[in-house]
Amino acid sequence: MSEQSGTRRPGPPQQRGARPVRDAAGARGLATEEPAGRSTAWWGMVLFVATEATLVASLLGTYFYLRFQFGEPWPPGGVARPELLHPLIMTGLLLASGVPLLWAQAGGRRDRWGRLPVALGAAALLTAGFLVVQGIEYADQLDRFTLTSHAYGSLFYGVTGLHAVHVCVGLLLLFWLLAAVARDRTGAGRRERIRLAVVYWYFLEVVWLGVLFTVYLSPRL
């Protein structure tokens, strides 16, 4: 028996959960969804840090190689052993500068973004203080020896100067982070940028401890 012309055929059943899937795949969902696992930017930062750490390690190895080849006295040429006041102040400033970043990262996990400008400003101020103290130390050391005076002078300014360049990059990173989080309103984007800054700051602090031991402490051992 044929169906009557007025009878409507039932359409295909609506899939369960289709609306949540559409919401998650939409523009708003993609903008607020935090990616799982490590991002490409995180791996890029880790690769950059590993590359720069290899460069610094080669310079520190060169320092010890030339020191043991040269023998005593070290530093050579009548140069006095480096004073510890400035480098210890610099150590305190650099280690302290990482604390506000960790504080900002902890706040980001709870979406407490009000502390972010204060944390980044404090970290930038402490980092700038590190560079100022290093500039004062350079002014004192340049009266005694320069980059071209001898091998020790080349190593001293080469090792500490390379780290100072990385600190300058870190200071620029903080200013970029301030501008980026002001532009990016999503929590996932802010958390990712803070995480990248923390990774770089671990690199700065670990490398500085190696520089502190090699350049400033080892001549006293």
Side-chain angles (χ1 to χ4, degrees):
M1 184 176 176
S2 61
E3 297 181 357
Q4 295 181 0
S5 59
T7 305
R8 296 182 60 185
R9 293 177 177 272
Q14 185 177 6
Q15 295 181 356
R16 294 182 179 180
R19 184 173 181 181
V21 172
R22 287 197 304 270
D23 292 341
R28 182 178 180 183
L30 292 176
T32 57
E33 183 71 16
E34 188 168 2
R38 303 296 187 182
S39 65
T40 303
W42 187 89
W43 285 110
M45 178 62 78
V46 170
L47 181 60
F48 170 75
V49 164
T51 303
E52 295 301 305
T54 303
L55 175 60
V56 174
S58 66
L59 283 177
L60 298 182
T62 302
Y63 179 96
F64 282 111
Y65 174 79
L66 292 178
R67 176 186 175 181
F68 294 134
Q69 286 291 320
F70 188 89
E72 297 295 339
W74 187 262
V79 177
R81 292 179 300 182
E83 298 293 335
L84 294 181
L85 177 60
H86 289 151
L88 290 179
I89 294 175
M90 292 157 62
T91 301
L93 289 171
L94 188 61
L95 294 179
S97 67
V99 175
L101 291 177
L102 294 177
W103 182 55
Q105 187 179 38
R109 296 192 185 103
R110 303 180 183 88
D111 289 327
R112 297 178 180 175
W113 301 113
R115 67 176 63 174
L116 189 57
V118 177
L120 294 178
L125 185 62
L126 292 168
T127 305
F130 176 94
L131 294 173
V132 169
V133 176
Q134 188 161 31
I136 295 173
E137 185 198 21
Y138 277 178
D140 293 339
Q141 296 292 354
L142 285 172
D143 293 335
R144 305 171 187 175
F145 60 92
T146 66
L147 184 69
T148 59
S149 296
H150 35 61
Y152 174 80
S154 300
L155 288 170
F156 178 87
Y157 290 110
V159 171
T160 59
L162 179 62
H163 183 265
V165 170
H166 285 114
V167 174
C168 290
V169 172
L171 188 59
L172 294 176
L173 177 63
L174 292 177
F175 290 130
W176 169 82
L177 189 58
L178 270 172
V181 297
R183 183 176 63 254
D184 190 352
R185 300 297 180 181
T186 62
R190 289 180 172 183
R191 280 188 287 269
E192 177 65 14
R193 290 180 173 91
I194 295 173
R195 183 165 62 172
L196 295 179
V198 169
V199 171
Y200 187 79
W201 235 254
Y202 284 149
F203 160 73
L204 286 182
E205 294 175 348
V206 171
V207 168
W208 173 250
L209 293 178
V211 172
L212 177 69
F213 173 78
T214 301
V215 176
Y216 297 99
L217 297 180
S218 69
R220 300 175 179 272
L221 300 179

